[in-house]
Amino acid sequence: MSFKIASSPHNRISRSTSQLMLLVVLACLPGIIVQALLFGYGVLVQLVLAIATAWAAEALIMRLRAKPVLPRLKDHSALLTGVLLAVAIPPYAPWWLIIIGTGFAIIIVKQLYGGLGNNLFNPAMAAYVMLLISFPLQMTQWLPSASLQPEALTLLDAVCTVFSQYSCSGFSVSQLQTGIDGISMATPLDTLRTDLAAGRTLTESLQQPVFYGFAGAGWLWVNLAYLAGGLVLLKLQVIGWRIPLAVLGTLFGLSLLSWLAAADTNPSPLFQLFSGATMLAAFFIATDPVSASTTNQGRILYGMLIGLMIFIIRKYGGYPDGVAFAVLLANMAVPLIDYYTRPRTYGHQAKGAGK
């Protein structure tokens, strides 16, 4: 009988980085499938472009740094970054947008700081914010849900639209954004923000077709799909429960208080939880092991900060969905959070104790 000695951390389930990254990508599949069915096959085209760009950028930097390429590509970190950015941008955004964003995420945000494990910010969210600030028009070209689209788009239409901004039938993206009622449509969060700013009540705004269902047409099912994938990650112990619970709990609590205080001007807590990129953020983005907090207490504070910032940006900020900005702001606070929540060494004695 042999006695094996291993250094900490002592995990019950030992998985390599590549296995963890691949499991997260696989857990994204339910959300990707639902997103493609409800908002167009353009998301599949964006995925192909993002993954190819991520691998090419990673290989280029590894070559420039005179390091082996294949082992780095096999850790699947570049793959995950490409997937997360591809599902975050509009499915029919122009092809060059995802290439610029993915290249920025890998080269600038990740590799410039030393590669995997050294980046301060979540690469996908940093790239998303860069694209949103630099190309706001292209980043807001979300089509309505399939049930509200006047023209059914095939996979070939998706390819044509991404590369030329016109479908095979000659419809432009702006025309495709027009719903079956002839009105140009935005996302539920953006529509709600615009209506409330114009003086409409919440009840009046929710009468529009884009709000079919309490979280918006299509968006409820997308969030439920990412929730299912996130629960699988929790079951497999790929991610911990603290960050997702803190994000969703904080957002729910603040939304409940504002809704109870003024129901005519504040959406319900369920609307906040199941619209936009809430579930994607809570389970797949905020839980990034590199840019998130590393202590148990810190993860709770980190998740609460993200939930707080999402609520504040959605209610008072200039952007309808504050997920990316909330994550980046929380990333900036991680060193401070970890410093004040780090566990004490066994046997530690406070200054002045025993005197």
Side-chain angles (χ1 to χ4, degrees):
M1 181 180 296
S2 61
F3 182 72
K4 183 178 179 181
I5 300 177
S7 62
S8 60
H10 306 288
N11 297 320
R12 293 182 179 179
I13 301 177
S14 178
R15 295 191 178 101
S16 64
T17 299
S18 61
Q19 290 174 326
L20 292 174
M21 296 291 179
L22 189 58
L23 284 172
V24 175
V25 171
L26 293 175
C28 285
L29 289 180
I32 293 172
I33 294 172
V34 173
Q35 197 169 333
L37 292 175
L38 296 180
F39 291 99
Y41 298 115
V43 65
L44 303 180
V45 181
Q46 302 290 353
L47 279 169
V48 173
L49 293 174
I51 293 171
T53 304
W55 281 340
E58 189 94 329
L60 173 64
I61 298 301
M62 288 297 101
R63 286 286 188 182
L64 293 176
R65 296 174 62 186
K67 293 189 176 183
V69 174
L70 197 56
R72 183 56 62 200
L73 295 182
K74 285 184 176 180
D75 68 16
H76 301 309
S77 60
L79 170 66
L80 179 59
T81 297
V83 169
L84 292 178
L85 183 59
V87 300
I89 71 170
Y92 294 102
W95 61 272
W96 48 264
L97 194 75
I98 190 64
I99 292 178
I100 292 174
T102 308
F104 178 85
I106 299 297
I107 297 173
I108 304 299
V109 185
K110 180 184 176 184
Q111 291 296 341
L112 191 63
Y113 287 92
L116 181 64
N118 299 299
N119 49 285
L120 300 177
F121 301 100
N122 183 290
M125 291 300 96
Y128 180 90
V129 168
M130 184 276 294
L131 293 175
L132 184 61
I133 295 174
S134 304
F135 310 102
L137 178 61
Q138 289 79 8
M139 287 292 288
T140 55
Q141 291 180 334
W142 283 91
L143 269 61
S145 176
S147 61
L148 300 176
Q149 292 179 15
E151 181 76 12
L153 299 178
T154 64
L155 181 58
L156 182 59
D157 284 318
V159 175
C160 292
T161 306
V162 169
F163 282 96
S164 68
Q165 292 297 279
Y166 287 90
S167 68
C168 297
S169 303
F171 290 95
S172 67
V173 174
S174 59
Q175 290 174 317
L176 294 173
Q177 280 184 283
T178 304
I180 55 177
D181 56 357
I183 300 175
S184 183
M185 309 191 76
T187 63
L189 284 171
D190 197 17
T191 301
L192 182 61
R193 168 183 291 277
T194 303
D195 288 348
L196 293 178
R200 298 187 181 93
T201 65
L202 181 65
T203 303
E204 292 173 340
S205 181
L206 293 179
Q207 300 303 315
Q208 299 184 62
V210 72
F211 290 105
Y212 177 77
F214 64 85
W219 292 96
L220 170 62
W221 297 109
V222 170
N223 275 278
L224 286 174
Y226 282 116
L227 172 60
L231 293 177
V232 171
L233 293 180
L234 287 175
K235 177 66 175 178
L236 296 176
Q237 299 182 27
V238 175
I239 61 175
W241 57 267
R242 290 175 177 84
I243 293 177
L245 182 62
V247 172
L248 298 178
T250 302
L251 181 58
F252 179 86
L254 294 174
S255 303
L256 179 62
L257 292 176
S258 64
W259 182 61
L260 293 175
D264 281 340
T265 56
N266 293 287
S268 69
L270 290 180
F271 177 87
Q272 292 278 19
L273 291 183
F274 291 98
S275 61
T278 305
M279 294 299 169
L280 179 66
F283 291 97
F284 295 92
I285 296 173
T287 54
D288 174 27
V290 177
S291 57
S293 179
T294 58
T295 67
N296 287 337
Q297 291 181 351
R299 291 187 181 105
I300 295 175
L301 294 175
Y302 172 78
M304 291 176 64
L305 179 59
I306 292 177
L308 171 65
M309 295 310 301
I310 291 175
F311 174 79
I312 291 176
I313 295 172
R314 284 182 177 180
K315 184 170 178 61
Y316 303 106
Y319 296 94
D321 196 355
V323 164
F325 290 97
V327 171
L328 294 185
L329 289 171
N331 290 161
M332 295 173 61
V334 163
L336 185 65
I337 293 174
D338 282 352
Y339 178 80
Y340 283 104
T341 60
R342 59 185 177 182
R344 289 185 173 182
T345 307
Y346 180 76
H348 170 84
Q349 187 174 11
K351 292 182 179 181
K355 291 184 178 180

